[in-house]
Amino acid sequence: MSTKHDRAGSHHCRRMAAVFSDYLDRDLREAACRKVDEHLKRCPDCRLYLDTLSRTITLYRGLGGVRVPKNVESRLFATIRLAAAKKKQTKRTIR
Amino acid sequence: MNPDKEKDLLAAARSGDRRSFEQLVRSHQSHVYSLALRMLGDPADAEDVLQETFIALYQNLGRFQERSRLSTYLYRLAANFALMKLRHLRTHGGPGRDLAAAAEIPDLRPSPLEHAVRRELRDRLQQALLRLPPDERAVLVLRDVEGLGGRETAQALKLSLPAMKSRLHRGREALRRMMLDRTDPEDSP
Ligand SMILES: [Zn+2]
């Protein structure tokens, strides 16, 4: 399935598409940023492209973190205690 | 955790105080686990990475210099262990393992009303992530999911800023396509 949105990725706008990610991160110098703004004003394809890119990023930002399940946490702490005990033991044997 | 408190805990942990170390673990474990789970898609694999990361920290406490933040250092360790695991799985686990496992990702922040919809969306987002090449996936997870800054992401993955950005662009573009194109998941390049 090819959509209108994908046109920005092809040919005349490809160089624009390459800076959209920086544009969304507000990571462009002022001049470059203005160039993108200008282009967006007259290019509906790129506006759509940018919109879909920005929505995608927003979705991933919203994915958020995962909490460590209780049982996983207790196994982690058990492992750490084991490592700690080993460390002490090796110190003792070295002495 | 504020930086001074973290410094104190690190110092105490270095001198052998296990409780201080455990406090550090508690405050960072969910970031490490999230990164691993998003990267690997499998809770058991993510748990391995979680353990490897904190054991590595424990064993390198003396060597950890506070030039970088502890969180960045932990992200670096975790990303390395996750990438190593992916390499190992690719040679020993066979293809498709990631995808099959993705369905097992537990939904740990339920929001009662939109639960089903959100869960389906999360699964789709996670599945798309797992289809990215691992090096792009690592950048995506740190930058967009975990919300690190550009510099910190580059630092954690030991990449130059331009290299990090180009992976980020490629990864976002691939995800964008997958989000648009949900009918034919095998078609995208
Ligand atoms: Zn355009």
Side-chain angles (χ1 to χ4, degrees), chain A residues 8 12-13 16 20 39 43 45-47:
Chain A
H12 77 289
C13 292
M16 274 292 148
F20 282 148
H39 181 85
C43 183
D45 284 349
C46 278
R47 283 204 299 275

XYZ file of all heavy atoms in Angstrom, chain A residues 8 12-13 16 20 39 43 45-47, ligand 1:
82
model
N 6.842 12.315 0.302
C 7.908 13.162 0.847
C 9.213 12.399 0.929
O 10.282 12.990 0.895
C 7.520 13.694 2.213
N 11.920 14.815 -4.906
C 12.256 16.230 -4.713
C 12.285 16.662 -3.254
O 12.958 17.611 -2.904
C 11.335 17.139 -5.535
C 9.969 17.306 -4.940
N 9.048 16.290 -4.942
C 9.381 18.346 -4.299
C 7.948 16.714 -4.345
N 8.113 17.949 -3.945
N 11.567 15.964 -2.414
C 11.539 16.394 -1.018
C 12.429 15.547 -0.118
O 12.418 15.723 1.094
C 10.121 16.372 -0.490
S 9.082 17.611 -1.253
N 14.594 17.360 2.266
C 13.809 17.955 3.340
C 13.517 16.912 4.416
O 13.711 17.148 5.602
C 12.473 18.458 2.775
C 12.552 19.848 2.209
S 12.837 20.985 3.553
C 13.810 22.214 2.751
N 13.711 16.639 8.956
C 12.488 16.751 9.742
C 12.639 16.255 11.170
O 12.040 16.781 12.100
C 11.336 16.005 9.062
C 10.747 16.778 7.920
C 10.229 16.128 6.815
C 10.709 18.159 7.955
C 9.684 16.841 5.760
C 10.169 18.888 6.905
C 9.655 18.225 5.801
N 9.412 25.834 3.222
C 9.052 24.696 2.385
C 7.692 24.115 2.797
O 6.860 23.802 1.948
C 10.128 23.615 2.464
C 9.825 22.421 1.616
N 10.146 22.354 0.274
C 9.179 21.266 1.893
C 9.723 21.212 -0.231
N 9.136 20.523 0.737
N 4.318 23.066 0.575
C 4.337 21.643 0.226
C 3.421 20.810 1.130
O 3.819 20.421 2.225
C 5.759 21.097 0.277
S 5.868 19.372 -0.237
N 2.495 17.763 0.828
C 3.027 16.413 1.037
C 3.955 16.359 2.248
O 3.874 15.464 3.082
C 3.810 15.938 -0.193
C 2.877 15.536 -1.324
O 1.657 15.441 -1.054
O 3.357 15.335 -2.445
N 4.821 17.346 2.318
C 5.749 17.371 3.445
C 5.021 17.683 4.748
O 5.419 17.204 5.809
C 6.879 18.369 3.209
S 8.194 17.684 2.188
N 3.974 18.475 4.666
C 3.201 18.733 5.888
C 2.610 17.441 6.416
O 2.652 17.160 7.608
C 2.089 19.751 5.613
C 2.588 21.189 5.531
C 1.481 22.177 5.857
N 0.360 22.095 4.926
C 0.306 22.734 3.756
N 1.313 23.515 3.386
N -0.744 22.625 2.971
Zn 7.983 18.818 0.284
